[in-house]
Amino acid sequence: MSASPRTLTVLGSTGSIGVSTLDVVARYPERYRIHALTGATQLDRLFEQAQAFRPRFVVVLDEASAEQLATRLKAAGSQTEVLCGEAALEQVAAAPEVCTVMAAIVGAAGMKPTLAAARAGKRVLLANKETLVLAGRLFMDEVKASGAELLPIDSEHNAIFQVLPRAHREHPYAQGLRESGVKRILLTASGGPFRTRALDTFAAITPAEAVKHPNWSMGRKISVDSASMMNKGLEVIEARWLFNAQPDEISVVVHPQSIVHSMVEYADGSVLAQMGSPDMRTPIAYGMAYPERIDPGVKPLDLFSVGRLDFEAPDLARFPCLRLAFEALAAGGAATAVLNAANEVAVAAFLDGRLSFPGIAALSEAVLEQVSGLPAGDLESLLQADGAAREAARAWLARGERAC
Ligand code: NAD
Ligand code: MG
């Protein structure tokens, strides 16, 4: 192992991935040191994290929160400095003393600081899949130009990364998947909590039911995305960019036990899978220690208690969001950015009780149709597409088209 500790910034440290990351860090104090922690809400948790990990900086969104947190930290004798705003997030992601950035802010809000980390040539541990959905080509171009080291944290993509040929996973743009001997990527999906629920009861689904994932404990937005299978759609787009895969080289396989985290099928007929207990500390530790392996405290996989592994084809009639993601990918340009933004507005409205569960797909489809043909050229045009989609989504909600 390296002599001096690796310095980390954890963007979104108060969230589900952030907390799991700090759990791994706490097990290896000699290996990792925290430069900065960031959070939008949950100031109490951020305060406790700052006390435990003594970062140089913590970053919050607004001045009022910054003042409040700074006063508390000072009173507790802490040396940690409190910053606020988007520019501060980018600053702590790109700081010269930082080696590794965990990108674990949820949603499009995570894109700019993640991009800043890539531009600065960091090891980027990418949990924030929305960055690739919103700005896939641009982000990968930045990674290539800076020589940043990109390690996927999303469990499926981490699994795929682990079983791809090393040359391809580290330099996916040197050649296509086919030239690397790979026939296709098999992206597994649990099917979420509504895989077998009667379709005619979908309009009655409550936020509490939707955030209750059968296998994984996650933040609220990704839990709803998993229930609608929009999450798998976003992951198809994520895989397209991470692995230089064409859309027809990615297949979704429903696997309710979430033990096989994904697979790669090779030209010779071999199918390599990565398996493990459903615990995000495995992919997080993999990214943190790569290419070494460390023990993150995950419960060992007990195949005898798992008993069986099932596989099914996805049901696109039940889960139209998955179809929409393939359609957005095929449409090209800024379509995936539009889909991502529409979905974010829809999920927030669903969690607030302003939209039915089937309304998430209905709203996303309507916005994708309405805000079409926009280019993905540069950051500015992507942010414009994101803004136009959010506006169209809010207008759709205001028209009261909620029941579907
Ligand atoms: P979460 O909601 O638990 O945490 C989100 C974090 O982002 C929090 O620290 C929050 O304060 C911060 N945040 C929210 N809005 C922000 C804003 N506008 N500006 C700055 N910070 C903001 O989410 P999570 O489940 O930890 O997911 C984080 C990311 O990782 C998501 O992109 C998700 O898709 C991805 N991911 C999560 C899991 C999982 O198991 N939780 C698995 C795979 C991928
Ligand atoms: Mg995933």
Side-chain angles (χ1 to χ4, degrees):
M1 78 169 257
S2 52
S4 57
R6 288 186 84 98
T7 308
L8 257 90
T9 280
V10 183
L11 301 169
S13 65
T14 54
S16 166
I17 293 286
V19 167
S20 294
T21 303
L22 291 180
D23 183 89
V24 178
V25 169
R27 289 164 194 272
Y28 295 93
E30 74 291 356
R31 269 184 179 259
Y32 304 105
R33 186 172 45 219
I34 300 291
H35 174 72
L37 299 173
T38 87
T41 50
Q42 296 188 283
L43 295 191
D44 287 343
R45 181 174 276 177
L46 200 50
F47 172 79
E48 282 160 23
Q49 291 179 341
Q51 289 293 83
F53 293 94
R54 308 192 171 281
R56 171 97 176 75
F57 298 106
V58 294
V59 184
V60 291
L61 286 190
D62 56 274
E63 274 179 30
S65 310
E67 260 175 47
Q68 190 196 329
L69 192 57
T71 310
R72 276 184 77 184
L73 283 168
K74 204 166 170 214
S78 167
Q79 305 280 311
T80 298
E81 212 176 303
V82 184
L83 308 174
C84 74
E86 262 194 5
L89 289 175
E90 293 184 41
Q91 180 196 319
V92 296
E97 58 269 57
V98 171
C99 316
T100 302
V101 175
M102 166 55 82
I105 290 174
V106 61
M111 193 262 287
K112 281 191 184 166
T114 307
L115 203 57
R119 267 194 195 125
K122 305 301 182 195
R123 170 175 289 202
V124 181
L125 308 182
L126 188 70
N128 177 261
K129 65 192 85 184
E130 293 91 347
T131 290
L132 284 174
V133 178
L134 175 49
R137 187 181 302 277
L138 193 97
F139 182 76
M140 294 310 293
D141 283 348
E142 294 287 359
V143 168
K144 274 181 277 175
S146 70
E149 210 182 351
L150 183 57
L151 289 153
I153 298 304
D154 212 347
S155 58
E156 297 78 2
H157 305 75
N158 187 269
I160 294 159
F161 187 92
Q162 292 197 37
V163 295
L164 276 174
R166 184 166 185 165
H168 190 91
R169 71 184 182 219
E170 290 183 356
H171 301 286
Y173 286 84
Q175 55 183 19
L177 272 180
R178 209 156 286 261
E179 291 74 50
S180 294
V182 173
K183 200 165 158 204
R184 61 180 177 147
I185 282 169
L186 298 161
L187 194 67
T188 54
S190 70
F194 308 136
R195 186 176 56 90
T196 57
R197 177 174 172 139
L199 252 183
D200 60 4
T201 67
F202 268 37
I205 288 171
T206 64
E209 289 171 328
V211 299
K212 215 163 157 256
H213 196 278
N215 306 332
W216 298 93
S217 151
M218 309 181 286
R220 282 161 71 76
K221 192 254 178 186
I222 185 177
S223 296
V224 175
D225 285 349
S226 298
S228 69
M229 284 193 79
M230 181 62 91
N231 182 51
K232 210 48 54 181
L234 302 181
E235 290 185 359
V236 167
I237 300 164
E238 184 183 11
R240 183 262 172 275
W241 294 112
L242 277 176
F243 306 121
N244 190 14
Q246 297 311 308
D248 64 357
E249 293 172 327
I250 306 167
S251 303
V252 173
V253 177
V254 174
H255 164 49
Q257 292 90 356
S258 298
I259 296 298
V260 174
H261 296 311
S262 277
M263 297 169 269
V264 169
E265 181 180 337
Y266 283 84
D268 61 5
S270 299
V271 176
L272 302 195
Q274 185 265 357
M275 298 193 283
S277 299
D279 185 324
M280 289 306 293
R281 289 176 301 173
T282 294
I284 290 168
Y286 180 89
M288 283 168 61
Y290 184 80
E292 290 176 52
R293 300 264 183 179
I294 55 173
D295 174 1
V298 171
K299 193 167 140 253
L301 175 61
D302 177 5
L303 283 173
F304 299 120
S305 70
V306 174
R308 55 185 277 181
L309 302 176
D310 296 302
F311 301 98
E312 302 165 5
D315 179 348
L316 295 188
R318 175 176 285 266
F319 296 114
C321 288
L322 183 55
R323 167 177 59 79
L324 292 178
F326 274 106
E327 286 173 8
L329 202 48
T336 61
V338 168
L339 178 66
N340 180 63
N343 178 59
E344 282 190 27
V345 175
V347 170
F350 169 70
L351 285 170
D352 280 0
R354 290 181 287 122
L355 182 67
S356 69
F357 185 77
I360 296 173
L363 184 159
S364 301
E365 182 150 27
V367 172
L368 201 53
E369 260 169 40
Q370 191 191 327
V371 188
S372 63
L374 296 180
D378 55 8
L379 190 57
E380 197 49 45
S381 50
L382 288 165
L383 291 174
Q384 266 171 20
D386 174 278
R390 281 172 204 271
E391 208 170 292
R394 284 189 209 105
W396 192 95
L397 285 169
R399 287 198 298 272
E401 296 175 47
R402 18 180 326 161
C404 306

